[in-house]
Amino acid sequence: MNSLLDSLIEKLGSAWKAPVEPTTKRAYRCDCERPVFFLNTQCLGCGAALGYEPTLGEVRALHAGDEPDTWRPSGAGDDTGQAYRRCANFHSPASCNWLVPADHTSSLCLACRLNRAIPDLEDPDNQRYWNDIEAAKRRLISQLLGLGLPVESKEENPEQGIAFELLRPPPDGPKVLTGHANGLITINVEEADDVKREQIRTSLHEPYRTLLGHFRHEIGHYYWDRLVSRTRWLEPYRALFGDERADYAAALKANYENGPPADWRDRHISAYASSHPWEDWAETWAHFLHAVDSLDTAISHGFEGGDMEIALEPFTRDDLYDPDHPSAERELFLFNSWMELVTVLNEIGRSMGQPDLYPFVISRPVVKKLHFVSLVVADARAVTED
């Protein structure tokens, strides 16, 4: 079975310059043929209950199962007799629409089982924050599953699993710092407050700061530990990104006190990426996920690349990390298609008086790093399938 990334590149190669039907994992339809979306729990057209089945990677209409509180997704499970329950967080402020096999030992879905701590839900603000955070987290987890990457909780795999602590700092401290350590990802839930997040973004001179961006960056640190450290990719990583054994605390201190080097745009996707090789990897990883999900969504909803008239100088095979890799031409097409797409989206945003959707410039050295990330992802999927 092709991974999400393999399928995306195939569709780009065959259909980006021609009309396509929205058939990938970011476009869904109810049984009544009306479009439905990733977070939907009910079709607004026919009223059918909806649920997201993470193994299928699809939102499906639900029909009552044989047992109380069980469901059968439309078109799925008829041959195997598989029934599902809604995630226990369906009726919580998280409004989780994911499904759980009825015979699973947990009442929580795969994404919600990753939580180790959530904010105090007695506070109405925390309820709203948690809803927004879980929506971003489910988007992340669905993409990781589609890419064929390992997604396990700390309970399932204490050594290599993932856990999330979604915390709000008390009024009198201490601070909650968003970050990653040994598979534990901490998110300050106040990042879900648009005003506070914008204040932080402005104070740090960042062009982009979102909940989904946080998740994609921090999960990049996790996958560095799992897929790069102590693997055959470590030395190639050091040659391309730098030696991660450089003093991390000192590097961040220098970055915050002195700012990035003047030429950071020539070698990095963001100013923060220039602070340390670990941050360079995490930022590059996040932008790889941005590119893949955005392209998949565009194709899913019938975006026609042939309609775009953008005179961009394309990247060439020599810009890739491994120009001779069997997938080089396909990967190159992906990166060039991404640049075409975001150029148009930025212009559309400007026409609405909005900031650029993607306020970044991708240099040729960054393309090498993006290609490196893509090869690591492909390698991880091959290992998982074996």
Side-chain angles (χ1 to χ4, degrees):
M1 177 180 177
N2 284 345
S3 71
L4 182 153
L5 182 56
D6 291 334
S7 299
L8 171 60
I9 293 176
E10 285 182 13
K11 290 180 175 67
L12 284 171
S14 63
W16 184 243
K17 298 302 181 185
V20 299
E21 292 298 319
T23 58
T24 65
K25 290 181 172 61
R26 288 306 185 200
Y28 319 99
R29 288 190 179 272
C30 178
D31 286 354
C32 69
E33 290 303 312
R34 289 179 174 85
V36 293
F37 302 95
F38 182 65
L39 297 177
N40 287 165
T41 60
Q42 185 178 38
C43 175
L44 297 181
C46 68
L50 302 173
Y52 182 80
E53 207 293 324
T55 303
L56 297 172
E58 294 182 2
V59 173
R60 293 286 185 93
L62 303 179
H63 305 281
D66 297 333
E67 301 295 327
D69 298 320
T70 64
W71 302 87
R72 292 186 184 279
S74 178
D78 294 335
D79 296 334
T80 63
Q82 177 68 67
Y84 294 84
R85 288 178 280 106
R86 285 197 179 277
C87 175
N89 278 332
F90 175 72
H91 293 293
S92 77
S95 303
C96 181
N97 68 336
W98 283 30
L99 301 174
V100 186
D103 57 0
H104 199 281
T105 56
S106 176
S107 62
L108 295 172
C109 72
L110 172 57
C112 290
R113 290 199 299 272
L114 302 176
N115 289 342
R116 175 177 289 182
I118 62 172
D120 177 9
L121 299 181
E122 293 297 318
D123 186 320
D125 284 340
N126 287 346
Q127 294 182 22
R128 176 170 54 87
Y129 294 162
W130 191 42
N131 178 276
D132 291 347
I133 285 171
E134 288 296 332
K137 179 160 71 69
R138 291 198 297 274
R139 182 97 186 186
L140 168 77
I141 300 303
S142 71
Q143 183 183 20
L144 299 178
L145 293 172
L147 287 169
L149 291 165
V151 179
E152 303 167 287
S153 70
K154 283 287 189 184
E155 284 69 30
E156 296 166 318
N157 187 339
E159 295 297 320
Q160 293 186 303
I162 311 167
F164 292 94
E165 289 192 346
L166 312 174
L167 307 175
R168 186 179 184 185
D172 55 352
K175 293 182 178 180
V176 172
L177 299 179
T178 294
H180 166 268
N182 301 317
L184 176 62
I185 293 174
T186 301
I187 299 290
N188 181 345
V189 301
E190 289 187 341
E191 288 281 349
D193 186 303
D194 293 340
V195 174
K196 292 181 179 179
R197 190 177 63 254
E198 180 64 14
Q199 289 173 339
I200 297 171
R201 187 193 69 79
T202 302
S203 68
L204 295 178
H205 308 288
E206 296 176 340
Y208 167 95
R209 190 179 183 95
T210 67
L211 286 173
L212 185 55
H214 280 317
F215 276 113
R216 285 174 170 163
H217 175 98
E218 300 304 338
I219 206 73
H221 286 301
Y222 163 77
Y223 281 114
W224 187 91
D225 285 348
R226 185 153 186 180
L227 305 179
V228 177
S229 179
R230 299 181 299 279
T231 75
R232 69 182 182 89
W233 292 106
L234 182 56
E235 290 307 319
Y237 158 82
R238 286 173 176 167
L240 185 61
F241 289 84
D243 194 331
E244 83 290 350
R245 292 169 293 188
D247 190 313
Y248 181 70
L252 292 191
K253 183 174 184 292
N255 176 73
Y256 287 123
E257 290 181 354
N258 306 321
D263 64 345
W264 67 264
R265 292 177 180 82
D266 297 336
R267 296 172 284 114
H268 303 283
I269 189 62
S270 68
Y272 189 56
S274 68
S275 63
H276 189 275
W278 274 336
E279 298 304 339
D280 196 7
W281 163 270
E283 285 285 270
T284 305
W285 174 279
H287 283 258
F288 174 76
L289 296 188
H290 291 334
V292 170
D293 203 21
S294 297
L295 281 168
D296 188 61
T297 301
I299 293 175
S300 296
H301 292 281
F303 196 98
E304 300 176 15
D307 289 344
M308 296 188 299
E309 296 183 4
I310 300 296
L312 298 177
E313 182 180 353
F315 299 118
T316 69
R317 286 178 72 120
D318 289 339
D319 297 318
L320 299 178
Y321 171 73
D322 183 357
D324 298 322
H325 193 276
S327 68
E329 201 64 37
R330 298 165 64 242
E331 301 272 355
L332 182 63
F333 197 72
L334 184 149
F335 299 134
N336 281 325
S337 297
W338 166 237
M339 295 311 301
E340 291 178 357
L341 176 63
V342 295
T343 300
V344 172
L345 292 179
N346 284 346
E347 284 298 314
I348 291 173
R350 292 165 190 165
S351 73
M352 291 292 293
Q354 295 292 327
D356 287 355
L357 180 70
Y358 188 73
F360 300 91
V361 175
I362 297 180
S363 65
R364 296 184 188 278
V366 169
V367 172
K368 282 190 181 348
K369 295 174 183 178
L370 288 167
H371 189 216
F372 182 90
V373 169
S374 183
L375 294 179
V376 171
V377 169
D379 192 47
R381 177 178 175 82
V383 171
T384 302
E385 289 180 337
D386 290 342

